[in-house]
Amino acid sequence: MKKRVYLHPVPVRIWHWVNAISFIILILTGLQIRFIGKTEWISFHTAVKIHSVFGFILLANYLLWFCYYFFTGKFFKIYIPPFWKPVDWISGMIRQALYYGYGIMVGKKNPHHPSPEHKFNPLQQVAYLMIMMVCIPLQILTGLVLWDPVKFAWLGKLLGGLQVVSLIHTGLWVFYGFFIFVHIYLSTLGHTPLAHIIAMITGYEEEEEEH
Ligand code: HEM
C-alpha cells in the first residue's frame, strides 16, 4: 500500500524551480562570459545583462527560501544533521551511501522514509546544508562584488580582494556543474524515475506504508 506524504509546501516548490531555472541560465551565460573569444553563442554584452538579471532573481529567491525556513522554524528540524549524536549521524550516512552504491542495485529498500519534519536523508542533509548556507550565499556575495566592484569594494576587501572573489565565483560554478549532474541523477531514484521530480511539482511524495 502506498500513502501520500505532503513534503514540499508551495514556497519551497516556487523557490526550487525558480532557483533551478536561474542556475541553468547563470551557468550557460557564465560560460559565455568566462570564455569570451572562444565561444560566441550570444554576444558578451547580452550574456552579462542576462547573467546580472538572473543573479538578482537568484538573490530575491534565496531570500524567499531563507525567510520561509527561518520564520517557520523548519530550518533546524529539516536541514541540521544531528551533529550532537555523532554515532547515529555517521552510521546514517554510511547506510545511505551503501544503499546508493550497492543496495539499490540488488533491490533493497531505501533506508530513509521522508516525512514533512525529516524529509532529507543524512547525505541530502549535509549536501543541502552546504549548498544553501555556504555555496549559494558565497556565490551571491561574490557576484555582487563582480557586478559592481566600486559599490561593493568593501565587500571585495572583506572577502580577500578581487582575485579571490573571482576565484570563488568561478570555482563554485565548476562545483555546481557537478552538483546538478549528481542531484538530477539522485532525483530519478524514487519508486519511479519521475516520482521525486513530480513530488517537487505537486508537493506530494508517495511512500510505502509501514507495517
Ligand atoms: C533541473 C534541475 C533540477 C532538478 C530536476 C531537481 C530536482 C529536485 C528534487 C526532485 C528535489 C526533491 C528532494 C530530493 O529528492 O532531493 C530537489 C530538492 C532540492 N534541490 Fe533540486 N533539482 C534541480 C536543480 C537544483 C539546483 C540547481 C539546486 C541548487 C543549486 C537545487 C537544490 C535543491 C535543494 C536545496 C533541495 C531541497 C529543497 C527543500 O526541500 O528544502 N536543485 N531537487
Side-chain angles (χ1 to χ4, degrees), residues 7-8 12 15-17 19-20 23-24 65 69 78-79 119-120 124 128 131-132 136 176 179-180 183-184 186-187 196-197 200 205:
L7 285 188
H8 308 297
V12 173
W15 165 79
H16 183 269
W17 293 117
N19 186 68
F23 249 85
I24 292 164
W65 174 89
Y69 270 110
I78 293 181
Y79 272 82
K119 64 175 169 172
F120 300 149
Q124 281 175 318
Y128 293 158
I131 290 273
M132 298 313 295
I136 295 187
Y176 291 126
F179 166 79
I180 291 177
H183 182 61
I184 294 178
L186 292 179
S187 71
H196 291 330
I197 294 170
M200 207 19 134
E205 180 87 58

Side-chain angles (χ1 to χ4, degrees), residues 77-207:
K77 284 186 197 141
I78 293 181
Y79 272 82
I80 301 292
F83 297 121
W84 55 95
K85 292 191 242 164
V87 176
D88 289 359
W89 177 45
I90 292 169
S91 59
M93 283 201 292
I94 295 173
R95 202 176 317 127
Q96 195 65 37
L98 285 175
Y99 167 72
Y100 283 142
Y102 173 73
I104 195 165
M105 290 168 218
V106 293
K108 288 247 158 69
K109 290 233 180 311
N110 192 331
H112 179 72
H113 300 281
S115 68
E117 305 276 271
H118 299 281
K119 64 175 169 172
F120 300 149
N121 70 48
L123 293 179
Q124 281 175 318
Q125 245 178 350
V126 175
Y128 293 158
L129 183 67
M130 286 296 293
I131 290 273
M132 298 313 295
M133 294 313 287
V134 181
C135 301
I136 295 187
L138 261 181
Q139 194 78 37
I140 290 173
L141 294 178
T142 52
L144 284 173
V145 177
L146 295 174
W147 173 68
D148 193 335
V150 177
K151 208 178 270 169
F152 291 96
W154 58 274
L155 187 56
K157 258 196 204 140
L158 202 73
L159 291 169
L162 213 52
Q163 270 184 331
V164 177
V165 164
S166 165
L167 190 72
I168 297 175
H169 200 76
T170 47
L172 282 172
W173 167 77
V174 174
F175 168 77
Y176 291 126
F178 176 73
F179 166 79
I180 291 177
F181 188 72
V182 176
H183 182 61
I184 294 178
Y185 165 66
L186 292 179
S187 71
T188 62
L189 299 184
H191 68 277
T192 68
L194 287 181
H196 291 330
I197 294 170
I198 291 171
M200 207 19 134
I201 297 169
T202 62
Y204 288 92
E205 180 87 58
E206 279 193 336
E207 253 290 289

